[in-house]
Amino acid sequence: MGHIIKETFPVLEMSCAACAASVTSMLKSVPGVQEANVNFANQTALVTYDEEQAKPEGMRNALRSVGYDLVIDTHNREEIQQQAQQSHYQALKTRTIIAIILSLPVVVIGMFFMNIPYANWMMCVLSTPVVFWVGKGFFVNAWKQARHKKANMDTLVALSTGIAWIFSVFNTINPQFWMSSGLHAHVYFEAAAVVVAFVSLGKLLEEKAKSNTSSALKKLMGLQPKTVIVMHGQEQAEVPLEAVQVNDLILVKPGNRIPVDGTVAEGMSYVDESMISGEPVPVLKEKGTAVFAGTINQQGSFQFKAEKVGADTVLAQIIRMVQEAQGSRAPVQQLVDKIAGIFVPVVISIAILTFAVWYLLAGDFTHGLLAAVTVLVIACPCALGLATPTAIMVGIGRGADNNILIRDAESLEKGYKTNVLLLDKTGTITEGMPTVESMSVKEALLPVLLAMELQSEHPLALAVVHHLQGAGVQPVKLSQIESITGKGIAATYNGHRYLAGNAALLNIKTDSTATIILSEDDTIVGSINISDKVKPGSVSAIAALKQQGIAVYMLTGDNEKTAAAVAQSVGIEHYKAGMLPGDKAAFVKELQQQGKVVAMAGDGINDSQALALADVSIAMGKGSDIAMDVARMTLITADLQAIPRALALSKLTVRTIRQNLFWAFIYNVIGIPLAAGVLYPVNGFQLDPMIAGAAMALSSVSVVSNSLRLKWTKL
């Protein structure tokens, strides 16, 4: 056996959840492929294969044989996939707009002007491009499914619209066929056109949502600089990131992102590591300390020795884990497709059986054909197609009114099942911005303190500056200013020597980790406590979640002492401190293995791995773009109280979808036997195709009305 490789490939031409299942089975059929996990949402396949037995070219050929494609280009996979998706989206958008424009007059003629001259011919001309040009994809996909002995929503759409169109064309050309039997030659062009337009609109909305899922990875990859300054003695050489080798000496200038992982060899500076730790305060980096790719250098400059490059850096591992976590989600076999997979063969069987019974037992070909077509018309999946998208659209709108953005049906389905919620501390429970909690300094010395902190490069100095400037304090002019990196600042004013900084600067002991001490001529004259304040709504939100029976955990990269204090202040019993991005993701997995449905709420890049793995991922407003892209729900507010409302909305929306599916089917359960003519032998009642069409329309109205009720339901 050769080397086992686990690799993610973009997949093209998938149009439904059933396509993901087909791609999975095709990939698994390639010799040497051990595992294939296809994600329809982000259009990727995570494949585990033996590199000696299986090659990417072989996998691509296997998929091409059934109408899909695999991007195996190693350099610009994402770019190729993005271009293909963008092209597909634009084409779908154009076709959907044309379908709506052409369907509107068909509906108006079919509903109000059926008796005008050439009405049937006008509807035929307008509906034909809608059914066979706009709806071409439904027929193609239905054929692909049929080849694999499967059926999905596309099968139902293709079958019902195709039969309705053929039946209508026949009646338009040869109305005497029915009139000679005393029956009216009804046409169903409007039903065929409207079904294609509605379902196309649903697919367009789905494509729009899917296009956002891969943007998180693109932004993560964008955290790496494209070029790097490598030192060769005293010479500087700017080289591409890919050319950096282990042990290269790299120069990092103020404001630059650090390109690879390594250890500082010369110089010192503060580095913003919030993408890894989640903590907003930049960390001092001096000789011997580690630096990580993607983090941002502040004002200083330093050189470091590269130790991990390419796929070995912490940032590359985050990218890979997010990618794999998204790809390893259980394939979401959409509920409607599941139902359609059973519903379609059942309806077809009933229609054939109806025709056979009428023809063989009653010897009536015309009645048998009419009954069979009526069965197919009343089973038209318009309401079925509307059941989920209308509830989701109204649910999304209702969420937006409450500052909750919901991305897909999967998060809605799992949201109300949540029994464990993991909360990031910084930026989620707390404000995420250090502010002055208390200040004990003589008023006469405030201008001196402000002047010193204005000159300080310490990250906490900014909190003091904001506080004093907000109080209207004006700085004085200092002399002999000396910034002491990592400790604070010293300056002279009116012949006195002042020091402002941490305990190390004044060589004293203190329990506080975020306190600035001010001394005058070696005498302490003031202290400033700086903290990250708990958000106003955090305590009540956590209490509400606990009342709903949800276990709440706090995860933070901060130290044990601070974590314990924050957890106690907001009423959280369970917390974990000192957690790196991988630790948070591992904890999510651990809880899931215990059978828990885990929701994760966070705001930083450091939360993205855990967010990608969680059953329900919630990004806090004002957080990083990447966290929002990874998460399936985004709160357009920093207020934690939106989380209980989001979970309540999830429950209401799922309930509405289930009610809609009931309404979509109840008409079929009652209508199909009537359409088949079960009452005809008893009392001579035979459902007219026109009534069947009206019943189908009524089921759609019921579904839309039920979805709209969600708009006025209290969260």
Side-chain angles (χ1 to χ4, degrees), residues 143 155 184 228 283 302 311 354 381 419 427 467 471 503 579 592 620 646 701:
W143 173 241
T155 310
H184 186 80
V228 180
V283 180
F302 61 90
T354 299
N419 45 31
H467 181 78
M579 298 199 92
Q592 286 172 330
M620 301 301 295
V701 171

Side-chain angles (χ1 to χ4, degrees), residues 445-462:
L445 293 178
L446 292 179
V448 178
L449 178 63
L450 175 58
M452 293 175 75
E453 296 298 351
L454 279 169
Q455 301 293 326
S456 174
E457 62 182 33
H458 194 280
L460 296 179
L462 197 60

Side-chain angles (χ1 to χ4, degrees), residues 118 267 291 315 399 436 536:
Y118 305 107
V291 291
L315 178 61
V436 173

Side-chain angles (χ1 to χ4, degrees), residues 396-406 535 618-623 628 633-640 642-643 645-646:
I396 286 172
R398 188 83 173 89
D401 292 340
N402 287 272
N403 299 319
I404 304 158
L405 180 64
I406 299 165
K535 291 178 184 173
I618 304 168
M620 301 301 295
K622 299 180 183 175
M628 284 190 251
M633 286 190 191
T634 298
L635 307 183
I636 317 166
T637 171
D639 187 358
L640 210 57
I643 293 181
R645 289 202 296 273

Side-chain angles (χ1 to χ4, degrees), residues 415-435:
Y416 82 101
K417 295 179 184 172
T418 298
N419 45 31
V420 174
L421 174 66
L422 308 182
L423 294 171
D424 170 49
K425 178 181 76 70
T426 308
T428 302
I429 296 175
T430 66
E431 298 281 3
M433 182 65 70
T435 54

Side-chain angles (χ1 to χ4, degrees), residues 4-210:
I4 302 299
I5 293 178
K6 200 173 183 182
E7 196 169 359
T8 300
F9 300 95
V11 182
L12 304 180
E13 309 298 334
M14 287 198 296
S15 63
C16 63
C19 294
S22 298
V23 171
T24 303
S25 63
M26 288 307 296
L27 287 172
K28 283 182 176 175
S29 70
V30 176
V33 172
Q34 297 182 347
E35 185 61 46
N37 208 334
V38 179
N39 187 298
F40 173 60
N42 62 13
Q43 304 274 295
T44 59
L46 178 62
V47 187
T48 307
Y49 63 99
D50 185 329
E51 68 172 347
E52 285 189 3
Q53 295 181 39
K55 301 292 179 192
E57 290 80 5
M59 298 179 218
R60 183 178 62 185
N61 293 339
L63 291 192
R64 283 181 172 177
S65 69
V66 288
Y68 307 111
D69 205 350
L70 198 69
V71 181
I72 59 173
D73 190 297
T74 53
H75 297 296
N76 52 358
R77 283 178 182 173
E78 286 73 24
E79 194 178 329
I80 293 171
Q81 185 187 30
Q82 190 181 9
Q83 286 173 356
Q85 286 177 343
Q86 187 63 24
S87 168
H88 175 68
Y89 176 76
Q90 286 302 333
L92 181 60
K93 187 178 176 182
T94 304
R95 289 200 302 271
T96 304
I97 292 170
I98 291 172
I100 292 170
I101 291 171
L102 292 176
S103 298
L104 277 174
V106 178
V107 172
V108 172
I109 294 170
M111 298 291 287
F112 306 108
F113 304 103
M114 288 179 67
N115 297 320
I116 63 172
Y118 305 107
N120 287 359
W121 284 106
M122 283 191 279
M123 288 193 288
C124 179
V125 168
L126 289 168
S127 63
T128 299
V130 176
V131 175
F132 294 106
W133 180 67
V134 176
K136 180 185 170 186
F138 299 122
F139 291 94
V140 172
N141 290 329
W143 173 241
K144 284 181 188 171
Q145 294 298 317
R147 285 174 60 193
H148 290 85
K149 298 179 180 176
K150 292 176 182 173
N152 67 353
M153 186 73 182
D154 289 343
T155 310
L156 215 49
V157 174
L159 198 63
S160 59
T161 57
I163 294 283
W165 185 88
I166 291 169
F167 186 74
S168 301
V169 168
F170 177 82
N171 287 357
T172 301
I173 296 171
N174 190 21
Q176 289 78 18
F177 181 83
W178 303 104
M179 291 168 76
S180 62
S181 304
L183 299 170
H184 186 80
H186 290 292
V187 296
Y188 302 97
F189 289 119
E190 79 282 4
V194 167
V195 167
V196 171
F198 265 136
V199 181
S200 297
L201 182 62
K203 283 187 177 287
L204 183 70
L205 295 173
E206 190 180 314
E207 286 293 324
K208 179 76 177 169
K210 277 194 308 184

